[in-house]
Amino acid sequence: MARIPGPPGGPPQIEIALRRSARARRISLRVSGLDGQVTLTLPARVREAEGLAFARSRADWIAQALARVPRAAQIAPGVAFPVEGRLRAITAGPARGAVHLTDEGLVVPGDPSQCGVRVATFLRHLARARLERSVAHYTQALGRRHSSLTLRDTRSRWGSCTAAGGLMFSWRLIMAPPEVLDYVAAHEVAHLAEMNHSPRYWAVVARLLPGYEAPRRWLKSHGSDLHAWRFQD
């Protein structure tokens, strides 16, 4: 990690992750729209000082990009956050018991300092149940089988499918509207038939989920908001 001074009116310092790449032909800067990480990529023979000088020359652009990143929101008692596309207010429950949904919100028993961890565990279980149901529906419709289903907290993708039929999904999809979760499930199941993004592949997606374009647009527009929620300090 390195730091450069921020521009006037911006953050006093900007933290930058340095990355070297033998394949890079020029210095490049990237600001993650998910968590605001600034990455400076350097070709193998470029000196670090030269790269940081380039970053300093782009300090205004970096600050503007950081300003567009959604602010992190901490899960805690009293906070309202989305579950299956609906805002749910977190309320305290009795000292013992399980986290559960009600018409009013999400009841989280136990130590308030463990609220985020307990909510994340609950969401993973709920996401697995919903995704298993959705995947079963689409694999049956496609006439294909998957080999496994795993959940992760991924930043770069919402789902993936391996050549061996292993499906992976981000558990944060459970915060999106149900049709968005269904779209990602259909998207990955379609790869069991077409391991590409060709017109033939998209035809499979359309057959599995007519009207998939709307939830796909929602995910592109609002997906970064789901990554803004923090479940641990």
Side-chain angles (χ1 to χ4, degrees):
M1 285 288 189
R3 289 182 175 84
I4 63 170
Q13 284 191 324
I14 298 173
E15 192 171 79
I16 296 178
L18 299 175
R19 174 177 173 267
R20 286 202 176 271
S21 171
R23 300 171 60 185
R25 294 292 177 263
R26 59 185 176 84
I27 301 171
S28 64
L29 271 169
R30 178 179 179 273
V31 178
S32 170
L34 299 179
D35 57 12
Q37 178 172 292
V38 183
T39 302
L40 176 67
T41 300
L42 305 176
R45 296 185 179 181
V46 171
R47 293 181 297 112
E48 182 177 313
E50 183 180 348
L52 291 175
F54 174 78
R56 286 193 292 271
S57 73
R58 303 296 306 279
D60 283 331
W61 175 84
I62 296 173
Q64 291 170 11
L66 288 172
R68 293 192 293 269
V69 176
R71 293 189 176 183
Q74 182 69 45
I75 293 294
V79 170
F81 78 107
V83 180
E84 296 188 303
R86 288 179 51 195
L87 283 179
R88 309 275 189 162
I90 299 175
T91 59
R96 297 178 180 273
V99 177
H100 60 278
L101 281 171
T102 68
D103 291 338
E104 291 75 28
L106 189 66
V107 179
V108 184
D111 185 349
S113 68
Q114 296 299 308
C115 177
V117 175
R118 298 203 69 188
V119 170
T121 300
F122 171 81
L123 292 180
R124 288 188 185 96
H125 287 300
L126 186 61
R128 175 171 290 279
R130 299 292 191 265
L131 283 162
E132 285 179 345
R133 184 175 65 189
S134 192
V135 165
H137 171 75
Y138 292 123
T139 51
Q140 182 177 9
L142 189 61
R144 300 290 180 109
R145 293 183 178 181
H146 63 292
S147 60
S148 62
L149 191 157
T150 58
L151 299 183
R152 297 177 186 169
D153 192 7
T154 51
R155 292 287 185 176
S156 60
R157 59 180 63 187
W158 294 105
S160 64
C161 176
T162 69
L167 302 180
M168 184 282 298
F169 298 97
S170 167
W171 59 261
R172 288 179 185 259
L173 285 167
I174 196 61
M175 294 190 283
E179 61 269 22
V180 174
L181 181 148
D182 283 339
Y183 158 67
V184 178
H187 183 112
E188 300 309 331
V189 167
H191 281 308
L192 297 173
E194 294 286 340
M195 190 58 76
N196 51 59
H197 287 99
S198 66
R200 289 177 57 183
Y201 163 79
W202 287 109
V204 174
V205 177
R207 189 167 76 248
L208 292 175
L209 184 64
Y212 72 85
E213 296 88 352
R216 185 179 184 222
R217 286 194 298 270
W218 189 98
L219 197 57
K220 287 186 174 182
S221 298
H222 304 289
S224 60
D225 296 340
L226 306 183
H227 285 290
W229 290 99
R230 293 174 51 201
F231 294 85
Q232 294 185 354
D233 295 330

